[in-house]
Amino acid sequence: MNAAVPHRSRTTRLLGLLPRRFVTTRIGTAERTLYLSFDDGPDPGFTPPILDLLKAHGATASFFLIGDRIDQHPAVVERIVAEGHTLGNHSWDHPFMSDLPLAGQLDQIARTDAALARYDGHATHPFRPPCGVLPARLLAHFARIGRGIAFWSYDSHDYERLPADILFERMQADPPGVGDVVLMHDDSADSVDLLARLLPQWREQGYTVRAMPRERG
C-alpha cells in the first residue's frame, strides 16, 4: 500500500511541453511558491474545514467547482471568494468530456461559468477537465479562442480515499517543488487530514502557498 505512486504523470509531463497560453501545468516563479488547487467542490462538510486550515496558515488556493453544486451551497462559495481564493470551472456535472460532442463540452463549461459569475463577477474562469480527460478538439477550440486550460503538475492522489498518514508518507518520497500546481480535492476527510499535515510542513520548508494566478479564462 505504501509503494511509490506517480505524482507527476506522463499526461501532465506531455501537456507541460505545450505553451502555457494553451495549458498550465506548473508555473515558473522566482519565489519559493507552491500553487494549491482543489477539485470537485463545493462540499458543505469538507470545504469549510479546508478553508479554516488555509486561513490559519495564511495560504490561498484555487477551487475548481462543479456547476450543479454551486447554487446548492452558496454560503460556501461566497466564503471561498471572500477569503481571497479563486474560483475555477470543473464542468457542470463532472462527465468524461470525451463522451460528449464538442457542443456538449462547451455547454458544460458555459453553464458553469455563468453560475460562478454570480459569485465573483468574472464572465469566464480557468477550466480544468474532470478526471484530467482533455479531448483534442476541446484543446484546439480553446487554443483558437485564446483560452487556456488549467491543469496541474503534481497529483496528491487524495481521491484514492486512503488514510492521510499513508498519503502523506507517499508524498515525502517525491514531494512537490517550486512552481508545482498541486492537485487536491475538497470532498473527503482524508483530504482535510492530509492538508493539515502538509501546510505546516510546507511553511517550515519556506514555501508560500498560493492560488494559481488568474490569467485569461
mmCIF file of all heavy atoms in Angstrom, residues 59-82:
data_model
loop_
_atom_site.group_PDB
_atom_site.id
_atom_site.type_symbol
_atom_site.label_atom_id
_atom_site.label_comp_id
_atom_site.label_asym_id
_atom_site.label_seq_id
_atom_site.Cartn_x
_atom_site.Cartn_y
_atom_site.Cartn_z
ATOM 1 N N ALA A 59 -2.590 30.829 3.688
ATOM 2 C CA ALA A 59 -2.493 30.277 2.337
ATOM 3 C C ALA A 59 -3.748 30.592 1.538
ATOM 4 O O ALA A 59 -4.825 30.791 2.101
ATOM 5 C CB ALA A 59 -2.282 28.763 2.402
ATOM 6 N N THR A 60 -3.596 30.630 0.224
ATOM 7 C CA THR A 60 -4.748 30.728 -0.661
ATOM 8 C C THR A 60 -4.691 29.584 -1.664
ATOM 9 O O THR A 60 -3.648 28.952 -1.859
ATOM 10 C CB THR A 60 -4.796 32.073 -1.413
ATOM 11 O OG1 THR A 60 -3.572 32.244 -2.164
ATOM 12 C CG2 THR A 60 -4.971 33.224 -0.452
ATOM 13 N N ALA A 61 -5.830 29.316 -2.313
ATOM 14 C CA ALA A 61 -5.913 28.191 -3.239
ATOM 15 C C ALA A 61 -6.933 28.488 -4.325
ATOM 16 O O ALA A 61 -7.740 29.416 -4.215
ATOM 17 C CB ALA A 61 -6.294 26.908 -2.488
ATOM 18 N N SER A 62 -6.881 27.690 -5.370
ATOM 19 C CA SER A 62 -7.877 27.732 -6.446
ATOM 20 C C SER A 62 -8.863 26.595 -6.234
ATOM 21 O O SER A 62 -8.443 25.445 -6.026
ATOM 22 C CB SER A 62 -7.198 27.580 -7.813
ATOM 23 O OG SER A 62 -6.273 28.625 -8.042
ATOM 24 N N PHE A 63 -10.150 26.907 -6.307
ATOM 25 C CA PHE A 63 -11.197 25.901 -6.122
ATOM 26 C C PHE A 63 -11.929 25.712 -7.445
ATOM 27 O O PHE A 63 -12.644 26.606 -7.905
ATOM 28 C CB PHE A 63 -12.164 26.336 -5.024
ATOM 29 C CG PHE A 63 -11.599 26.232 -3.640
ATOM 30 C CD1 PHE A 63 -10.770 27.227 -3.129
ATOM 31 C CD2 PHE A 63 -11.865 25.127 -2.844
ATOM 32 C CE1 PHE A 63 -10.233 27.134 -1.860
ATOM 33 C CE2 PHE A 63 -11.339 25.009 -1.564
ATOM 34 C CZ PHE A 63 -10.515 26.016 -1.077
ATOM 35 N N PHE A 64 -11.750 24.539 -8.047
ATOM 36 C CA PHE A 64 -12.410 24.203 -9.307
ATOM 37 C C PHE A 64 -13.726 23.505 -8.974
ATOM 38 O O PHE A 64 -13.748 22.343 -8.563
ATOM 39 C CB PHE A 64 -11.490 23.324 -10.162
ATOM 40 C CG PHE A 64 -10.308 24.082 -10.695
ATOM 41 C CD1 PHE A 64 -9.153 24.204 -9.941
ATOM 42 C CD2 PHE A 64 -10.363 24.693 -11.939
ATOM 43 C CE1 PHE A 64 -8.064 24.928 -10.416
ATOM 44 C CE2 PHE A 64 -9.289 25.420 -12.425
ATOM 45 C CZ PHE A 64 -8.131 25.537 -11.664
ATOM 46 N N LEU A 65 -14.816 24.254 -9.139
ATOM 47 C CA LEU A 65 -16.123 23.823 -8.653
ATOM 48 C C LEU A 65 -16.951 23.167 -9.750
ATOM 49 O O LEU A 65 -16.831 23.501 -10.931
ATOM 50 C CB LEU A 65 -16.885 25.014 -8.078
ATOM 51 C CG LEU A 65 -16.173 25.816 -6.985
ATOM 52 C CD1 LEU A 65 -17.104 26.891 -6.442
ATOM 53 C CD2 LEU A 65 -15.678 24.905 -5.864
ATOM 54 N N ILE A 66 -17.809 22.251 -9.317
ATOM 55 C CA ILE A 66 -18.742 21.578 -10.218
ATOM 56 C C ILE A 66 -20.028 22.404 -10.265
ATOM 57 O O ILE A 66 -20.615 22.739 -9.228
ATOM 58 C CB ILE A 66 -19.015 20.147 -9.740
ATOM 59 C CG1 ILE A 66 -17.711 19.332 -9.805
ATOM 60 C CG2 ILE A 66 -20.099 19.486 -10.581
ATOM 61 C CD1 ILE A 66 -17.836 17.937 -9.226
ATOM 62 N N GLY A 67 -20.473 22.724 -11.487
ATOM 63 C CA GLY A 67 -21.545 23.687 -11.684
ATOM 64 C C GLY A 67 -22.826 23.392 -10.944
ATOM 65 O O GLY A 67 -23.413 24.286 -10.316
ATOM 66 N N ASP A 68 -23.293 22.145 -10.997
ATOM 67 C CA ASP A 68 -24.604 21.868 -10.398
ATOM 68 C C ASP A 68 -24.558 21.807 -8.876
ATOM 69 O O ASP A 68 -25.584 21.630 -8.230
ATOM 70 C CB ASP A 68 -25.226 20.603 -10.997
ATOM 71 C CG ASP A 68 -24.475 19.322 -10.672
ATOM 72 O OD1 ASP A 68 -23.440 19.380 -9.958
ATOM 73 O OD2 ASP A 68 -24.900 18.250 -11.148
ATOM 74 N N ARG A 69 -23.381 21.986 -8.278
ATOM 75 C CA ARG A 69 -23.271 22.042 -6.822
ATOM 76 C C ARG A 69 -23.148 23.474 -6.311
ATOM 77 O O ARG A 69 -23.268 23.717 -5.109
ATOM 78 C CB ARG A 69 -22.049 21.241 -6.361
ATOM 79 C CG ARG A 69 -22.109 19.771 -6.724
ATOM 80 C CD ARG A 69 -20.869 19.029 -6.260
ATOM 81 N NE ARG A 69 -20.867 17.644 -6.735
ATOM 82 C CZ ARG A 69 -19.878 16.791 -6.554
ATOM 83 N NH1 ARG A 69 -18.786 17.171 -5.916
ATOM 84 N NH2 ARG A 69 -19.959 15.554 -7.033
ATOM 85 N N ILE A 70 -22.894 24.402 -7.213
ATOM 86 C CA ILE A 70 -22.562 25.765 -6.792
ATOM 87 C C ILE A 70 -23.720 26.415 -6.044
ATOM 88 O O ILE A 70 -23.556 26.878 -4.906
ATOM 89 C CB ILE A 70 -22.146 26.604 -8.013
ATOM 90 C CG1 ILE A 70 -20.791 26.096 -8.554
ATOM 91 C CG2 ILE A 70 -22.063 28.082 -7.659
ATOM 92 C CD1 ILE A 70 -20.410 26.678 -9.904
ATOM 93 N N ASP A 71 -24.885 26.469 -6.643
ATOM 94 C CA ASP A 71 -26.015 27.145 -6.003
ATOM 95 C C ASP A 71 -26.667 26.296 -4.917
ATOM 96 O O ASP A 71 -27.524 26.797 -4.179
ATOM 97 C CB ASP A 71 -27.050 27.542 -7.051
ATOM 98 C CG ASP A 71 -26.559 28.705 -7.917
ATOM 99 O OD1 ASP A 71 -25.686 29.469 -7.453
ATOM 100 O OD2 ASP A 71 -27.041 28.843 -9.046
ATOM 101 N N GLN A 72 -26.251 25.041 -4.782
ATOM 102 C CA GLN A 72 -26.727 24.229 -3.661
ATOM 103 C C GLN A 72 -26.054 24.662 -2.355
ATOM 104 O O GLN A 72 -26.610 24.458 -1.274
ATOM 105 C CB GLN A 72 -26.430 22.746 -3.913
ATOM 106 C CG GLN A 72 -27.184 22.133 -5.068
ATOM 107 C CD GLN A 72 -26.822 20.671 -5.268
ATOM 108 O OE1 GLN A 72 -26.519 19.936 -4.324
ATOM 109 N NE2 GLN A 72 -26.838 20.225 -6.503
ATOM 110 N N HIS A 73 -24.862 25.249 -2.477
ATOM 111 C CA HIS A 73 -24.095 25.612 -1.287
ATOM 112 C C HIS A 73 -23.546 27.035 -1.439
ATOM 113 O O HIS A 73 -22.327 27.255 -1.427
ATOM 114 C CB HIS A 73 -22.956 24.613 -1.065
ATOM 115 C CG HIS A 73 -23.395 23.187 -1.116
ATOM 116 N ND1 HIS A 73 -24.255 22.647 -0.177
ATOM 117 C CD2 HIS A 73 -23.134 22.200 -2.014
ATOM 118 C CE1 HIS A 73 -24.486 21.374 -0.484
ATOM 119 N NE2 HIS A 73 -23.819 21.085 -1.591
ATOM 120 N N PRO A 74 -24.431 28.022 -1.581
ATOM 121 C CA PRO A 74 -23.970 29.388 -1.869
ATOM 122 C C PRO A 74 -23.085 29.974 -0.782
ATOM 123 O O PRO A 74 -22.146 30.715 -1.087
ATOM 124 C CB PRO A 74 -25.277 30.162 -2.021
ATOM 125 C CG PRO A 74 -26.302 29.363 -1.285
ATOM 126 C CD PRO A 74 -25.902 27.939 -1.487
ATOM 127 N N ALA A 75 -23.357 29.678 0.469
ATOM 128 C CA ALA A 75 -22.555 30.254 1.544
ATOM 129 C C ALA A 75 -21.105 29.783 1.464
ATOM 130 O O ALA A 75 -20.175 30.541 1.792
ATOM 131 C CB ALA A 75 -23.151 29.904 2.899
ATOM 132 N N VAL A 76 -20.911 28.547 1.039
ATOM 133 C CA VAL A 76 -19.547 28.015 0.910
ATOM 134 C C VAL A 76 -18.811 28.745 -0.208
ATOM 135 O O VAL A 76 -17.656 29.151 -0.057
ATOM 136 C CB VAL A 76 -19.565 26.498 0.660
ATOM 137 C CG1 VAL A 76 -18.139 25.970 0.492
ATOM 138 C CG2 VAL A 76 -20.264 25.768 1.800
ATOM 139 N N VAL A 77 -19.486 28.930 -1.341
ATOM 140 C CA VAL A 77 -18.855 29.618 -2.472
ATOM 141 C C VAL A 77 -18.565 31.069 -2.103
ATOM 142 O O VAL A 77 -17.490 31.604 -2.417
ATOM 143 C CB VAL A 77 -19.747 29.537 -3.722
ATOM 144 C CG1 VAL A 77 -19.036 30.183 -4.916
ATOM 145 C CG2 VAL A 77 -20.088 28.078 -4.055
ATOM 146 N N GLU A 78 -19.499 31.710 -1.429
ATOM 147 C CA GLU A 78 -19.281 33.097 -1.006
ATOM 148 C C GLU A 78 -18.072 33.198 -0.077
ATOM 149 O O GLU A 78 -17.284 34.145 -0.167
ATOM 150 C CB GLU A 78 -20.538 33.623 -0.308
ATOM 151 C CG GLU A 78 -21.711 33.858 -1.249
ATOM 152 C CD GLU A 78 -23.008 34.104 -0.516
ATOM 153 O OE1 GLU A 78 -23.016 34.034 0.740
ATOM 154 O OE2 GLU A 78 -24.032 34.358 -1.185
ATOM 155 N N ARG A 79 -17.909 32.221 0.790
ATOM 156 C CA ARG A 79 -16.762 32.252 1.705
ATOM 157 C C ARG A 79 -15.455 32.060 0.933
ATOM 158 O O ARG A 79 -14.460 32.715 1.233
ATOM 159 C CB ARG A 79 -16.915 31.181 2.785
ATOM 160 C CG ARG A 79 -15.778 31.220 3.777
ATOM 161 C CD ARG A 79 -15.870 30.185 4.869
ATOM 162 N NE ARG A 79 -14.628 30.164 5.623
ATOM 163 C CZ ARG A 79 -14.301 29.247 6.518
ATOM 164 N NH1 ARG A 79 -15.159 28.259 6.803
ATOM 165 N NH2 ARG A 79 -13.132 29.301 7.145
ATOM 166 N N ILE A 80 -15.440 31.168 -0.040
ATOM 167 C CA ILE A 80 -14.233 30.966 -0.850
ATOM 168 C C ILE A 80 -13.771 32.294 -1.434
ATOM 169 O O ILE A 80 -12.592 32.662 -1.353
ATOM 170 C CB ILE A 80 -14.504 29.944 -1.974
ATOM 171 C CG1 ILE A 80 -14.690 28.535 -1.393
ATOM 172 C CG2 ILE A 80 -13.354 29.938 -2.990
ATOM 173 C CD1 ILE A 80 -15.160 27.514 -2.424
ATOM 174 N N VAL A 81 -14.709 33.024 -2.021
ATOM 175 C CA VAL A 81 -14.374 34.303 -2.656
ATOM 176 C C VAL A 81 -13.978 35.342 -1.606
ATOM 177 O O VAL A 81 -12.976 36.057 -1.767
ATOM 178 C CB VAL A 81 -15.562 34.798 -3.496
ATOM 179 C CG1 VAL A 81 -15.282 36.191 -4.046
ATOM 180 C CG2 VAL A 81 -15.856 33.822 -4.635
ATOM 181 N N ALA A 82 -14.737 35.427 -0.524
ATOM 182 C CA ALA A 82 -14.491 36.448 0.492
ATOM 183 C C ALA A 82 -13.120 36.306 1.138
ATOM 184 O O ALA A 82 -12.519 37.312 1.562
ATOM 185 C CB ALA A 82 -15.581 36.393 1.563
#
